[in-house]
Amino acid sequence: MALTALVIPFVPSARRQQLKQGWSARLLKILGIRLKADAPFVGPGSLIVANHVSWLDIFVINAAFPAAFVSKAEVRQWPLAGWLAEKNETVFLRRGSRGHARIVNGEISALLSRGRHVALFPEGTTTDGSHVLGFHAALLQPAVEASAPVQPLAIAYRLPDGRPTRAPAYDGDLSLLDSLRAIVAEPEIIARVTVGTPLSVAETPDRKALARQARDCIVTAIAG
């Protein structure tokens, strides 16, 4: 909160990303989460698309590849979390409104055009991590408009012996407190981030085809 209120508004963009990355990494360490991310470079101005398992996903991605996030508009009204999200360049999407979607698409395209990473979860909701739901292709339209690469990221949570764990899951009727209790009950959890091959909108300008390709890439990575 102190960083967000007193430092982030007054430092250059590159420094803000460093602070966000460092803070996210420290939070994961406090919670006993060990990040294992692929080394491949994620090009500037990429639209990062990932499967969605937990509220932890945001910090996992930020610890690896600091990004602005796209979130449902309701999050802005959440106590504290909404304020933090807004001050950290979250783009809020009011679902079901085509007019608002066009405005949001313009905001995302502008961030991408400035070389910023923007991350979103095209499933639109969370799962327990064992499967990947269908992707909402309309969310990929800003990449088409900005001629930005679509970068698939697969997120999987494992125990140190390699077994999957649903401890971080934030699905169904689980509360944030339930999820947090399950996380801290495990001595260590591995957050595995697999970087897929970037998808070119020049080669695949159709957003539905892009969504299918991105989902297929993530499904394959999780199964592997």
Side-chain angles (χ1 to χ4, degrees), residues 42-157:
V42 173
S46 294
L47 182 67
I48 295 172
V49 297
N51 58 306
H52 201 9
V53 180
S54 173
W55 55 274
L56 274 177
D57 300 343
I58 293 170
F59 302 103
V60 167
I61 293 174
N62 269 333
F65 311 105
F69 278 80
V70 180
S71 174
K72 59 185 180 181
E74 292 88 340
V75 171
R76 182 179 272 165
Q77 308 306 319
W78 291 1
L80 183 58
W83 176 80
L84 283 170
E86 181 179 5
K87 297 302 181 181
N88 281 278
E89 298 182 301
T90 299
V91 179
F92 295 101
L93 174 63
R94 190 165 63 244
R95 291 180 290 189
S97 171
R98 292 186 177 180
H100 189 249
R102 284 194 292 271
I103 295 172
V104 167
N105 285 352
E107 293 178 14
I108 298 171
S109 296
L111 285 167
L112 294 171
S113 297
R114 294 202 299 270
R116 292 293 316 284
H117 292 149
V118 179
L120 55 84
F121 304 107
E123 292 168 284
T125 188
T126 53
T127 71
D128 64 0
S130 64
H131 59 286
V132 181
L133 301 175
F135 280 8
H136 295 283
L139 294 173
L140 276 64
Q141 182 62 30
V144 176
E145 295 177 0
S147 299
V150 173
Q151 177 62 71
L153 290 187
I155 300 174
Y157 295 97

Side-chain angles (χ1 to χ4, degrees), residues 1-11 16 19 83-84 87:
M1 289 175 63
L3 279 174
T4 298
L6 303 175
V7 178
I8 285 180
F10 307 107
V11 297
R16 287 199 298 270
L19 290 171
W83 176 80
L84 283 170
K87 297 302 181 181

